[in-house]
């Protein structure tokens, strides 16, 4: 469960990205974050895995208060949260297999478990036969599937996806959405910032709309609600 | 940390050396150059020290007894010298023995001195060695003041210059070696820093997946260690090989017994160990320094 109370975020350069956020997201929910560019969607997601810290306010993730969390506990927090970005963020010099395995090496899993689990998860995103490729040898959709595989390989409770289909063509985007829905069906909370009106209006989920750092709309089975 | 994780870090560190082959060559080159210089300096310094020690060992004081001194007075002088705590040994030589030694040491030309055998111009002497050669001058002037001692002889100018030169050479050598090592650390930390700039994004991604700082740092640590050790291989070969050649071809010099250089065993191997150790330290230090500031993500 994720809970934010009165959260503000001002960047060091003075830009106010979040201007008082109150929101609760329950375990197993699928939430779209929509809004114009610069509305604060990415900042909102970054607070959840403590890539950024709020200037003010309280954030609780998996029953842990992030404001009092020590630096050395941050890796533990992040192991429970998968993150997927528009630009994939794969380790460019590692193979697909190594990229996914990395998330398990970090938690010191046994090589046997790693091999089994990595192949399992690569199979679930349809990339079992590309395990030995490096990211540059893959299409955008394939790279995003590797990123998703890495994000879910250690069974995180939450998956955050910041415009995961932003760089992909429509067909590939639907493919990614199908995978995300599957992951959600297995109980993982999904928080997805997106600009895709088609996706939001077709696959109906909870919609949180943001403008200038505040939430202006929060509806279950909501609409995209903007013209672009 | 579990053993398998250490194993993983080792593999990763080794892989990085291959992946960044150009940077590897640059760093190893920097370490190699420095270590050859450091090695040559070390060999020079330690041998100079050794020779200097030998020379200092050879320094002795001759106290010349007055020609008119009584036998009892001579004995008394001997006892007084022996009672000085800084004195290591005292031996007595008559003027006949002294002349014999002189003639022997002159070799061919010694015969010229044989004519003095009838009318010996030399003095009976006490030959004194001090425990610390640096006390030579003080002890000498103390003995010179004794009644019955005509004068003392210890190669006054020679000894003073020798001590000054030795101290100077030691200090200059130490400063040079430190300067070289720091240059090398700077060079390697800079080369690794360049590779890390390129890897900055990668480090960010690793932290995103929940890697701890230690987890990220280990492969770099091992990489630095390997770079340092790789960089010490050529210097070790050059220094050990060069020193072997030198010791095999130094017979001419070693005829002058004060020019004894240190024997190949175990000196060359000690230097080799020292070079590998310095290389490893340079590598580790360079990599740890350069990775540090990228970990605050
Ligand atoms: N690291 C940063 N430093 C300074 N300003 C930032 C930073 N990241 C985002 N911002 C600013 O904060 C505001 C919100 O950005 P962001 O959260 O990325 O919005 P969105 O993802 O909705 O486009 C924007 O005005 C943006 O320029
Ligand atoms: Mg954004």
């Amino acid at each position: 469960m994720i809970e934010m109370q009165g959260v503000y975020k001002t960047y060091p350069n003075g830009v106010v990205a979040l201007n008082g956020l109150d929101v609760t997201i329950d375990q197993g929910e699928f939430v779209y974050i929509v809004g114009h560019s610069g509305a604060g969607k990415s900042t909102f997601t970054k607070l959840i895995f403590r890539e950024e810290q709020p200037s003010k306010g309280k954030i609780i993730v998996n029953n842990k208060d992030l404001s009092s969390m020590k630096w050395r506990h941050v890796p533990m927090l992040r192991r429970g949260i998968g993150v997927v970005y528009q630009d994939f963020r794969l380790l460019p010099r590692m193979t697909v297999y190594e990229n996914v395995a990395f998330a398990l090496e970090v938690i010191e899993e046994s090589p046997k478990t790693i091999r089994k689990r990595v192949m399992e998860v690569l199979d679930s995103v349809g990339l079992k036969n590309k395990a030995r490729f490096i990211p540059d040898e893959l299409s955008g959709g394939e790279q995003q599937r590797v990123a998703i595989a890495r994000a879910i390989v250690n069974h995180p409770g939450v998956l955050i996806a910041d415009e995961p289909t932003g760089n992909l063509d429509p067909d590939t985007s639907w493919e990614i959405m199908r995978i995300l829905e599957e992951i959600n069906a297995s109980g993982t909370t999904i928080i997805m910032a997106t600009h895709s009106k088609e996706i939001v209006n077709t696959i109906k989920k909870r919609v949180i709309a943001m403008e200038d750092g505040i939430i202006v709309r929060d509806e279950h089975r909501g609409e995209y609600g903007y013209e672009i | 940390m579990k053993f398998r994780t250490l194993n993983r870090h080792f593999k990763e560190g080794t892989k990085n050396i291959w992946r960044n082959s150009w940077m590897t060559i640059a760093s190893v080159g920097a370490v190699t150059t420095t270590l050859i210089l450091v090695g040559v300096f070390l060999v020079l310094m330690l041998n100079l020290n050794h020779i200097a020690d030998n020379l200092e060992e050879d320094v002795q004081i001759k106290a010349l007894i007055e020609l008119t001194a009584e036998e009892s007075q001579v004995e008394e002088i001997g006892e007084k010298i022996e009672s000085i705590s800084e004195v290591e040994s005292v031996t007595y030589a008559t003027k006949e023995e002294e002349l014999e030694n002189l003639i022997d040491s002159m070799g061919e030309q010694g015969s010229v001195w044989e004519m003095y055998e009838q009318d010996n111009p030399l003095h009976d002497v006490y030959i004194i060695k001090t425990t610390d050669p640096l006390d030579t001058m003080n002890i000498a002037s103390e003995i010179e003041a004794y009644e019955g001692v005509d004068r003392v002889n210890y190669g006054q100018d020679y000894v003073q210059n020798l001590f000054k030169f030795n101290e100077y050479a030691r200090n200059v050598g130490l400063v040079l070696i430190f300067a070289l090592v720091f240059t090398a650390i700077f060079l390697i930390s800079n080369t690794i820093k360049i590779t890390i700039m390129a890897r900055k994004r990668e480090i960010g991604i690793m932290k995103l997946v929940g890697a701890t700082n230690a987890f990220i740092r280990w492969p770099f640590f091992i990489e630095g260690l390997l770079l340092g050790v790789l960089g010490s291989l050529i210097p070790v070969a050059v220094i050990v090989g060069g020193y072997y050649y030198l010791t095999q071809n130094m017979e001419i010099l070693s005829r002058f017994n004060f020019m004894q250089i240190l024997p190949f065993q175990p000196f060359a191997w000690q230097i080799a160990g020292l070079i590998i150790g310095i290389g490893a330290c340079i590598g580790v230090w360079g990599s740890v320094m350069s990775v540090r500031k990228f970990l605050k993500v």
Side-chain angles (χ1 to χ4, degrees):
Chain A
M1 193 186 74
I2 296 161
E3 199 178 338
M4 294 198 183
Q5 292 167 13
V7 167
Y8 292 78
K9 173 68 186 177
T10 308
Y11 281 107
N13 63 359
V15 173
V16 179
L18 297 179
N19 213 346
L21 229 52
D22 294 283
V23 65
T24 304
I25 297 169
D26 288 324
Q27 186 59 43
E29 276 197 272
F30 194 132
V31 184
Y32 294 120
I33 316 284
V34 301
H36 294 295
S37 183
K41 305 184 292 295
S42 296
T43 305
F44 170 68
T45 61
K46 281 175 185 169
L47 291 178
I48 298 170
F49 55 99
R50 217 181 192 232
E51 176 140 313
E52 295 290 350
Q53 283 183 270
S55 320
K56 211 172 101 187
K58 193 170 175 175
I59 302 172
I60 294 166
V61 177
N62 297 334
N63 299 321
K64 301 252 164 51
D65 186 346
L66 298 204
S67 49
S68 61
M69 182 176 273
K70 298 204 174 70
W71 264 105
R72 64 194 157 87
H73 291 136
V74 172
M76 291 304 293
L77 168 78
R78 291 183 183 165
R79 289 170 198 178
I81 302 172
V83 184
V84 174
Y85 277 103
Q86 179 174 5
D87 59 358
F88 320 132
R89 305 219 181 162
L90 299 173
L91 295 163
R93 289 178 299 191
M94 290 188 184
T95 64
V96 166
Y97 180 91
E98 289 166 338
N99 261 283
V100 179
F102 186 84
L104 293 176
E105 287 170 355
V106 160
I107 55 175
E108 306 199 49
E109 277 290 358
S110 75
K112 210 173 132 201
T113 316
I114 292 179
R115 222 169 303 134
K116 186 165 159 287
R117 177 66 187 143
V118 171
M119 290 322 284
E120 202 175 278
V121 79
L122 281 179
D123 194 25
S124 77
V125 298
L127 283 176
K128 208 173 170 180
N129 57 343
K130 303 246 159 123
R132 302 179 67 87
F133 286 44
I134 61 164
D136 269 352
E137 297 166 341
L138 302 180
S139 71
E142 287 169 332
Q143 288 189 51
Q144 194 58 296
R145 280 187 277 157
V146 178
I148 293 172
R150 180 183 64 190
I152 60 168
V153 72
N154 58 0
H155 304 288
V158 181
L159 179 66
I160 290 169
D162 194 351
E163 306 195 25
T165 60
N167 280 338
L168 306 177
D169 59 61
D171 283 353
T172 321
S173 298
W174 290 118
E175 174 77 32
I176 296 295
M177 286 314 295
R178 187 189 56 76
I179 293 170
L180 291 183
E181 278 198 276
E182 262 170 37
I183 294 167
N184 180 236
S186 74
T188 306
T189 310
I190 297 197
I191 299 168
M192 171 173 160
T194 184
H195 274 127
S196 170
K197 185 180 174 183
E198 293 74 29
I199 289 174
V200 175
N201 288 345
T202 310
I203 305 173
K204 291 268 182 159
K205 304 285 180 189
R206 177 176 172 189
V207 176
I208 294 176
M210 294 183 66
E211 275 171 34
D212 296 329
I214 55 167
I215 294 174
V216 293
R217 179 160 57 91
D218 185 349
E219 320 171 304
H220 283 272
R221 299 187 55 78
E223 290 277 331
Y224 183 72
Y226 297 98
E227 272 324 299
I228 12 152
Chain B
M1 183 169 59
K2 291 182 181 163
F3 176 75
R4 60 169 170 255
T5 308
L6 187 64
N7 190 32
R8 179 258 169 210
H9 292 324
F10 230 96
K11 279 189 194 150
E12 196 57 30
T14 324
K15 265 193 220 161
N16 278 341
I17 284 188
W18 287 112
R19 283 176 189 151
N20 306 297
S21 48
W22 282 109
M23 280 306 154
T24 299
I25 291 169
S27 323
V28 169
V31 178
T32 301
T33 320
T34 321
L35 286 183
I36 288 181
L37 287 173
V38 168
V40 169
F41 263 108
L42 273 176
V43 167
L44 273 178
M45 276 258 308
L46 291 172
N47 270 300
L48 211 61
N49 243 329
H50 178 68
I51 291 171
D53 280 348
N54 278 349
L55 289 176
E56 284 179 359
E57 285 295 306
D58 287 347
V59 170
Q60 55 185 25
I61 304 168
K62 273 188 185 175
L64 282 64
I65 314 290
E66 273 174 14
L67 296 170
T68 57
E70 301 281 322
E71 208 169 300
S72 63
Q73 202 179 4
V74 174
E75 257 171 47
E76 197 184 318
I77 294 171
E79 279 160 20
K80 265 165 91 183
I81 294 173
E82 257 171 36
S83 70
I84 301 173
S85 58
E86 290 91 349
V87 167
E88 190 181 81
S89 69
V90 191
T91 46
Y92 180 74
T94 61
K95 56 185 170 188
E96 289 77 25
E97 288 166 341
E98 280 288 282
L99 185 62
E100 221 168 282
N101 284 342
L102 184 64
I103 292 168
D104 281 353
S105 71
M106 285 304 197
E108 302 274 282
Q109 289 124 39
S111 52
V112 185
W113 292 84
E114 277 166 21
M115 63 182 183
Y116 286 109
E117 269 166 12
Q118 305 314 313
D119 185 15
N120 191 340
L122 299 179
H123 292 250
D124 295 334
V125 297
Y126 278 112
I127 298 164
I128 302 132
K129 286 196 65 86
T130 54
T131 318
D132 182 351
L134 287 173
D135 289 330
T136 306
M137 280 165 276
N138 291 333
I139 306 276
S141 50
E142 187 180 336
I143 295 173
E144 189 163 33
Y146 293 170
E147 211 160 311
V149 174
D150 186 44
R151 59 199 148 89
V152 293
N153 222 331
Y154 59 91
Q156 279 82 341
D157 290 348
Y158 164 74
V159 167
Q160 259 169 5
N161 286 338
L162 174 68
F163 288 161
K164 260 191 216 145
F165 175 75
N166 283 353
E167 211 174 295
Y168 184 73
R170 266 167 221 175
N171 293 340
V172 169
L174 276 181
V175 168
L176 275 174
I177 284 179
F178 272 107
L180 280 170
V181 167
F182 275 104
T183 316
I185 289 178
F186 175 76
L187 282 176
I188 197 166
S189 90
N190 247 11
T191 24
I192 292 185
K193 211 178 270 172
I194 294 169
T195 75
I196 290 181
M197 299 274 209
R199 285 186 240 171
K200 188 182 171 186
R201 200 180 132 81
E202 285 178 53
I203 292 177
I205 295 172
M206 291 174 181
K207 301 206 78 171
L208 203 65
V209 185
T212 56
N213 286 348
F215 192 90
I216 294 170
R217 204 185 282 122
W218 263 97
F220 284 104
F221 174 85
I222 286 165
E223 186 180 345
L225 186 76
L226 290 176
L227 286 179
V229 171
L230 278 178
S232 66
L233 293 185
I234 293 178
V236 163
V238 167
I239 300 289
V240 170
Y243 202 71
Y244 183 74
Y245 180 82
L246 203 67
T247 47
Q248 294 300 300
N249 293 277
M250 279 291 281
E251 277 119 50
I252 320 121
L253 265 183
S254 61
R255 242 184 262 153
F256 306 91
N257 76 8
F258 72 91
M259 280 297 274
Q260 291 285 0
I261 61 170
L262 289 153
F264 182 76
Q265 294 262 31
F267 177 66
W269 302 119
Q270 289 166 344
I271 289 286
L274 199 59
I275 289 175
I276 294 174
I278 295 176
C281 289
I282 292 175
V284 166
W285 214 67
S287 69
V288 168
M289 287 306 290
S290 46
V291 79
R292 222 176 42 172
K293 68 180 243 227
F294 293 111
L295 286 173
K296 276 259 165 199
V297 183

